[in-house]
Amino acid sequence: MKNETALAGMLPAELEKNLLTVPCFRCAQIYKWITRGVCDFDQMTDIPVSMRHDLKTRFDIFSCVIDSIQPDRDADKIVLSLKDGLKIEAVLLSDGKKRFTACLSTQAGCPAGCVFCKTGSLGFTRNLTSGEITEQFLHLNAVNNLKQKSITGETGDDISERVHDNSIDNIVIMGMGEPLLNMAELRKAIEFFTDPEGLNISKRRITVSTCGICAGLYDIADNGPYIRLALSLTTADEPLRQRLMPVTAANPLKRVKDALIRFQKKGGGRVTLEIPLLGGLNTRSKDAASIARFAENLNAVINIIPWNPAAGLEFEGKPLREPSKKEIENFIFQLENQKLKVTMRHRKGRRAMAACGQLGSV
């Protein structure tokens, strides 16, 4: 990055404030090009050449660059270098049916300290800006377009073939960091994603996953945005949950549930209760029973996530282990026996260390 200001992630009104000498209609054109994924002002063919040259001398489009791409069969992890030298990761997920999901980060590192998450072991460095959040999506979209082009054998160098519209169907804010500890920038990023004049992604196609930060949950319940919410519950045995997820000590489950009920009463939809399943730790009958009690009076689905290994993670002096097939099946049976709707997360990107809980394993 050679300039102080990067334009990606700015809405038209913000572009107008930064591009003071540029007419408003030109700002709208620039915005359209950025949302379509251009990485060079020279690609903006309806902008006068002299203006493009001036923009190049004063601004960058992106503030971060792709450091590496780590491909897997159904997931591609990108490592991004930020302008201050920090590195973050984002993941492109595929369901095998040409439907794609962008998994985005909101912080460099994470302050939550969940023992089963590699990012949590890194500690916390700083919040990402809304631009750094939205740039992850734009970079993943460009990677996906190039990948699909290579699969179909497309060739050509004209602008129409190098610039593509959005090919990603869904966004999950489930990467590095705790999203609700970066609410202001998260809101701005969601506004960019959902802007009808830009990417125009439905809020129903955006999921924010949280450890259960009560202040953030109440804020979303009262003020929106009414995206889809996922709570990393892990277990509703509160003492065990606080040992596994230190940040939850200040966010008791009673208040978390109250905030979720409020969210749904104010207009939010069904919530997902995520259960990272840890072999021998939260696979007990009492864990299933506690989850069933927590789910009462909530419109919720339980998502089982068998733990994905990451080097160096342990709990109270003992290495974590993956749950056995028998543990998984028995736990799902117990939940379904409580009349709960249960799904299981398909493991994607494990070879690239891109699966749930593995980000930070560069």
PDB file of all heavy atoms in Angstrom, residues 208-230:
ATOM      1  N   VAL A 208     -23.628 -14.037  11.711  1.00  0.00           N
ATOM      2  CA  VAL A 208     -22.599 -13.578  12.645  1.00  0.00           C
ATOM      3  C   VAL A 208     -22.540 -14.567  13.803  1.00  0.00           C
ATOM      4  O   VAL A 208     -23.549 -14.836  14.462  1.00  0.00           O
ATOM      5  CB  VAL A 208     -22.900 -12.164  13.170  1.00  0.00           C
ATOM      6  CG1 VAL A 208     -21.901 -11.761  14.251  1.00  0.00           C
ATOM      7  CG2 VAL A 208     -22.866 -11.155  12.019  1.00  0.00           C
ATOM      8  N   SER A 209     -21.349 -15.111  14.043  1.00  0.00           N
ATOM      9  CA  SER A 209     -21.153 -16.068  15.131  1.00  0.00           C
ATOM     10  C   SER A 209     -20.460 -15.382  16.301  1.00  0.00           C
ATOM     11  O   SER A 209     -19.455 -14.690  16.121  1.00  0.00           O
ATOM     12  CB  SER A 209     -20.315 -17.253  14.646  1.00  0.00           C
ATOM     13  OG  SER A 209     -20.074 -18.169  15.711  1.00  0.00           O
ATOM     14  N   THR A 210     -20.988 -15.583  17.496  1.00  0.00           N
ATOM     15  CA  THR A 210     -20.461 -14.927  18.683  1.00  0.00           C
ATOM     16  C   THR A 210     -20.338 -15.901  19.844  1.00  0.00           C
ATOM     17  O   THR A 210     -21.104 -16.871  19.938  1.00  0.00           O
ATOM     18  CB  THR A 210     -21.361 -13.744  19.100  1.00  0.00           C
ATOM     19  OG1 THR A 210     -20.890 -13.205  20.345  1.00  0.00           O
ATOM     20  CG2 THR A 210     -22.808 -14.179  19.271  1.00  0.00           C
ATOM     21  N   CYS A 211     -19.406 -15.619  20.741  1.00  0.00           N
ATOM     22  CA  CYS A 211     -19.292 -16.389  21.980  1.00  0.00           C
ATOM     23  C   CYS A 211     -20.427 -16.057  22.938  1.00  0.00           C
ATOM     24  O   CYS A 211     -20.640 -16.766  23.926  1.00  0.00           O
ATOM     25  CB  CYS A 211     -17.963 -16.100  22.671  1.00  0.00           C
ATOM     26  SG  CYS A 211     -16.511 -16.653  21.765  1.00  0.00           S
ATOM     27  N   GLY A 212     -21.126 -14.951  22.658  1.00  0.00           N
ATOM     28  CA  GLY A 212     -22.229 -14.544  23.515  1.00  0.00           C
ATOM     29  C   GLY A 212     -21.892 -13.306  24.316  1.00  0.00           C
ATOM     30  O   GLY A 212     -21.981 -13.299  25.546  1.00  0.00           O
ATOM     31  N   ILE A 213     -21.494 -12.239  23.621  1.00  0.00           N
ATOM     32  CA  ILE A 213     -21.186 -10.967  24.269  1.00  0.00           C
ATOM     33  C   ILE A 213     -22.505 -10.231  24.501  1.00  0.00           C
ATOM     34  O   ILE A 213     -23.131  -9.746  23.555  1.00  0.00           O
ATOM     35  CB  ILE A 213     -20.226 -10.128  23.405  1.00  0.00           C
ATOM     36  CG1 ILE A 213     -18.979 -10.944  23.042  1.00  0.00           C
ATOM     37  CG2 ILE A 213     -19.863  -8.832  24.122  1.00  0.00           C
ATOM     38  CD1 ILE A 213     -18.184 -11.449  24.223  1.00  0.00           C
ATOM     39  N   CYS A 214     -22.924 -10.156  25.759  1.00  0.00           N
ATOM     40  CA  CYS A 214     -24.282  -9.679  26.060  1.00  0.00           C
ATOM     41  C   CYS A 214     -24.537  -8.268  25.546  1.00  0.00           C
ATOM     42  O   CYS A 214     -25.596  -7.997  24.962  1.00  0.00           O
ATOM     43  CB  CYS A 214     -24.527  -9.749  27.562  1.00  0.00           C
ATOM     44  SG  CYS A 214     -24.574 -11.442  28.201  1.00  0.00           S
ATOM     45  N   ALA A 215     -23.589  -7.360  25.755  1.00  0.00           N
ATOM     46  CA  ALA A 215     -23.798  -5.979  25.314  1.00  0.00           C
ATOM     47  C   ALA A 215     -24.045  -5.924  23.817  1.00  0.00           C
ATOM     48  O   ALA A 215     -24.938  -5.201  23.342  1.00  0.00           O
ATOM     49  CB  ALA A 215     -22.591  -5.122  25.693  1.00  0.00           C
ATOM     50  N   GLY A 216     -23.275  -6.697  23.049  1.00  0.00           N
ATOM     51  CA  GLY A 216     -23.444  -6.728  21.603  1.00  0.00           C
ATOM     52  C   GLY A 216     -24.764  -7.364  21.196  1.00  0.00           C
ATOM     53  O   GLY A 216     -25.425  -6.905  20.253  1.00  0.00           O
ATOM     54  N   LEU A 217     -25.167  -8.427  21.896  1.00  0.00           N
ATOM     55  CA  LEU A 217     -26.432  -9.096  21.575  1.00  0.00           C
ATOM     56  C   LEU A 217     -27.620  -8.171  21.833  1.00  0.00           C
ATOM     57  O   LEU A 217     -28.553  -8.084  21.023  1.00  0.00           O
ATOM     58  CB  LEU A 217     -26.572 -10.376  22.397  1.00  0.00           C
ATOM     59  CG  LEU A 217     -25.668 -11.543  21.993  1.00  0.00           C
ATOM     60  CD1 LEU A 217     -25.749 -12.663  23.014  1.00  0.00           C
ATOM     61  CD2 LEU A 217     -26.022 -12.067  20.608  1.00  0.00           C
ATOM     62  N   TYR A 218     -27.605  -7.463  22.953  1.00  0.00           N
ATOM     63  CA  TYR A 218     -28.684  -6.507  23.229  1.00  0.00           C
ATOM     64  C   TYR A 218     -28.681  -5.375  22.208  1.00  0.00           C
ATOM     65  O   TYR A 218     -29.740  -4.899  21.783  1.00  0.00           O
ATOM     66  CB  TYR A 218     -28.540  -5.946  24.640  1.00  0.00           C
ATOM     67  CG  TYR A 218     -29.017  -6.875  25.734  1.00  0.00           C
ATOM     68  CD1 TYR A 218     -28.143  -7.326  26.724  1.00  0.00           C
ATOM     69  CD2 TYR A 218     -30.340  -7.290  25.795  1.00  0.00           C
ATOM     70  CE1 TYR A 218     -28.574  -8.174  27.738  1.00  0.00           C
ATOM     71  CE2 TYR A 218     -30.784  -8.144  26.805  1.00  0.00           C
ATOM     72  CZ  TYR A 218     -29.886  -8.581  27.772  1.00  0.00           C
ATOM     73  OH  TYR A 218     -30.323  -9.431  28.763  1.00  0.00           O
ATOM     74  N   ASP A 219     -27.493  -4.935  21.815  1.00  0.00           N
ATOM     75  CA  ASP A 219     -27.377  -3.865  20.822  1.00  0.00           C
ATOM     76  C   ASP A 219     -28.021  -4.293  19.504  1.00  0.00           C
ATOM     77  O   ASP A 219     -28.815  -3.562  18.904  1.00  0.00           O
ATOM     78  CB  ASP A 219     -25.895  -3.535  20.619  1.00  0.00           C
ATOM     79  CG  ASP A 219     -25.668  -2.312  19.745  1.00  0.00           C
ATOM     80  OD1 ASP A 219     -26.635  -1.796  19.152  1.00  0.00           O
ATOM     81  OD2 ASP A 219     -24.508  -1.883  19.625  1.00  0.00           O
ATOM     82  N   ILE A 220     -27.691  -5.501  19.038  1.00  0.00           N
ATOM     83  CA  ILE A 220     -28.283  -6.001  17.792  1.00  0.00           C
ATOM     84  C   ILE A 220     -29.790  -6.188  17.951  1.00  0.00           C
ATOM     85  O   ILE A 220     -30.576  -5.866  17.052  1.00  0.00           O
ATOM     86  CB  ILE A 220     -27.609  -7.319  17.359  1.00  0.00           C
ATOM     87  CG1 ILE A 220     -26.174  -7.050  16.881  1.00  0.00           C
ATOM     88  CG2 ILE A 220     -28.406  -8.011  16.261  1.00  0.00           C
ATOM     89  CD1 ILE A 220     -25.411  -8.287  16.507  1.00  0.00           C
ATOM     90  N   ALA A 221     -30.212  -6.702  19.110  1.00  0.00           N
ATOM     91  CA  ALA A 221     -31.649  -6.906  19.341  1.00  0.00           C
ATOM     92  C   ALA A 221     -32.412  -5.591  19.243  1.00  0.00           C
ATOM     93  O   ALA A 221     -33.507  -5.529  18.672  1.00  0.00           O
ATOM     94  CB  ALA A 221     -31.870  -7.545  20.706  1.00  0.00           C
ATOM     95  N   ASP A 222     -31.838  -4.526  19.788  1.00  0.00           N
ATOM     96  CA  ASP A 222     -32.539  -3.243  19.832  1.00  0.00           C
ATOM     97  C   ASP A 222     -32.351  -2.404  18.576  1.00  0.00           C
ATOM     98  O   ASP A 222     -33.242  -1.628  18.200  1.00  0.00           O
ATOM     99  CB  ASP A 222     -32.072  -2.439  21.050  1.00  0.00           C
ATOM    100  CG  ASP A 222     -32.518  -3.057  22.363  1.00  0.00           C
ATOM    101  OD1 ASP A 222     -33.510  -3.816  22.363  1.00  0.00           O
ATOM    102  OD2 ASP A 222     -31.860  -2.798  23.388  1.00  0.00           O
ATOM    103  N   ASN A 223     -31.194  -2.555  17.923  1.00  0.00           N
ATOM    104  CA  ASN A 223     -30.846  -1.641  16.832  1.00  0.00           C
ATOM    105  C   ASN A 223     -30.530  -2.330  15.509  1.00  0.00           C
ATOM    106  O   ASN A 223     -30.267  -1.640  14.517  1.00  0.00           O
ATOM    107  CB  ASN A 223     -29.632  -0.788  17.253  1.00  0.00           C
ATOM    108  CG  ASN A 223     -29.873  -0.055  18.563  1.00  0.00           C
ATOM    109  OD1 ASN A 223     -30.817   0.708  18.684  1.00  0.00           O
ATOM    110  ND2 ASN A 223     -29.025  -0.306  19.552  1.00  0.00           N
ATOM    111  N   GLY A 224     -30.573  -3.656  15.474  1.00  0.00           N
ATOM    112  CA  GLY A 224     -30.204  -4.361  14.263  1.00  0.00           C
ATOM    113  C   GLY A 224     -28.697  -4.310  14.048  1.00  0.00           C
ATOM    114  O   GLY A 224     -27.955  -3.842  14.905  1.00  0.00           O
ATOM    115  N   PRO A 225     -28.225  -4.805  12.931  1.00  0.00           N
ATOM    116  CA  PRO A 225     -28.989  -5.361  11.808  1.00  0.00           C
ATOM    117  C   PRO A 225     -29.489  -6.766  12.115  1.00  0.00           C
ATOM    118  O   PRO A 225     -28.827  -7.524  12.828  1.00  0.00           O
ATOM    119  CB  PRO A 225     -27.947  -5.384  10.682  1.00  0.00           C
ATOM    120  CG  PRO A 225     -26.636  -5.574  11.390  1.00  0.00           C
ATOM    121  CD  PRO A 225     -26.761  -4.816  12.679  1.00  0.00           C
ATOM    122  N   TYR A 226     -30.661  -7.117  11.559  1.00  0.00           N
ATOM    123  CA  TYR A 226     -31.249  -8.409  11.828  1.00  0.00           C
ATOM    124  C   TYR A 226     -30.743  -9.452  10.842  1.00  0.00           C
ATOM    125  O   TYR A 226     -31.481 -10.005  10.021  1.00  0.00           O
ATOM    126  CB  TYR A 226     -32.773  -8.297  11.829  1.00  0.00           C
ATOM    127  CG  TYR A 226     -33.256  -7.420  12.963  1.00  0.00           C
ATOM    128  CD1 TYR A 226     -33.877  -6.208  12.705  1.00  0.00           C
ATOM    129  CD2 TYR A 226     -33.038  -7.798  14.279  1.00  0.00           C
ATOM    130  CE1 TYR A 226     -34.289  -5.391  13.749  1.00  0.00           C
ATOM    131  CE2 TYR A 226     -33.446  -6.991  15.335  1.00  0.00           C
ATOM    132  CZ  TYR A 226     -34.063  -5.782  15.065  1.00  0.00           C
ATOM    133  OH  TYR A 226     -34.460  -4.977  16.104  1.00  0.00           O
ATOM    134  N   ILE A 227     -29.446  -9.688  10.971  1.00  0.00           N
ATOM    135  CA  ILE A 227     -28.795 -10.769  10.244  1.00  0.00           C
ATOM    136  C   ILE A 227     -29.109 -12.089  10.973  1.00  0.00           C
ATOM    137  O   ILE A 227     -29.855 -12.099  11.955  1.00  0.00           O
ATOM    138  CB  ILE A 227     -27.263 -10.536  10.177  1.00  0.00           C
ATOM    139  CG1 ILE A 227     -26.739  -9.944  11.520  1.00  0.00           C
ATOM    140  CG2 ILE A 227     -26.921  -9.537   9.106  1.00  0.00           C
ATOM    141  CD1 ILE A 227     -26.689 -10.795  12.674  1.00  0.00           C
ATOM    142  N   ARG A 228     -28.558 -13.182  10.505  1.00  0.00           N
ATOM    143  CA  ARG A 228     -28.694 -14.440  11.232  1.00  0.00           C
ATOM    144  C   ARG A 228     -27.638 -14.490  12.334  1.00  0.00           C
ATOM    145  O   ARG A 228     -26.500 -14.088  12.124  1.00  0.00           O
ATOM    146  CB  ARG A 228     -28.536 -15.632  10.287  1.00  0.00           C
ATOM    147  CG  ARG A 228     -29.662 -15.725   9.260  1.00  0.00           C
ATOM    148  CD  ARG A 228     -29.641 -17.057   8.538  1.00  0.00           C
ATOM    149  NE  ARG A 228     -30.701 -17.142   7.549  1.00  0.00           N
ATOM    150  CZ  ARG A 228     -31.962 -17.495   7.814  1.00  0.00           C
ATOM    151  NH1 ARG A 228     -32.314 -17.770   9.049  1.00  0.00           N
ATOM    152  NH2 ARG A 228     -32.862 -17.563   6.852  1.00  0.00           N
ATOM    153  N   LEU A 229     -28.037 -14.974  13.498  1.00  0.00           N
ATOM    154  CA  LEU A 229     -27.123 -15.072  14.631  1.00  0.00           C
ATOM    155  C   LEU A 229     -26.790 -16.525  14.924  1.00  0.00           C
ATOM    156  O   LEU A 229     -27.656 -17.400  14.865  1.00  0.00           O
ATOM    157  CB  LEU A 229     -27.753 -14.453  15.879  1.00  0.00           C
ATOM    158  CG  LEU A 229     -27.514 -12.971  16.168  1.00  0.00           C
ATOM    159  CD1 LEU A 229     -28.238 -12.579  17.446  1.00  0.00           C
ATOM    160  CD2 LEU A 229     -26.023 -12.666  16.289  1.00  0.00           C
ATOM    161  N   ALA A 230     -25.524 -16.768  15.254  1.00  0.00           N
ATOM    162  CA  ALA A 230     -25.088 -18.079  15.713  1.00  0.00           C
ATOM    163  C   ALA A 230     -24.356 -17.881  17.041  1.00  0.00           C
ATOM    164  O   ALA A 230     -23.474 -17.027  17.152  1.00  0.00           O
ATOM    165  CB  ALA A 230     -24.171 -18.738  14.687  1.00  0.00           C
TER     166      ALA A 230
END
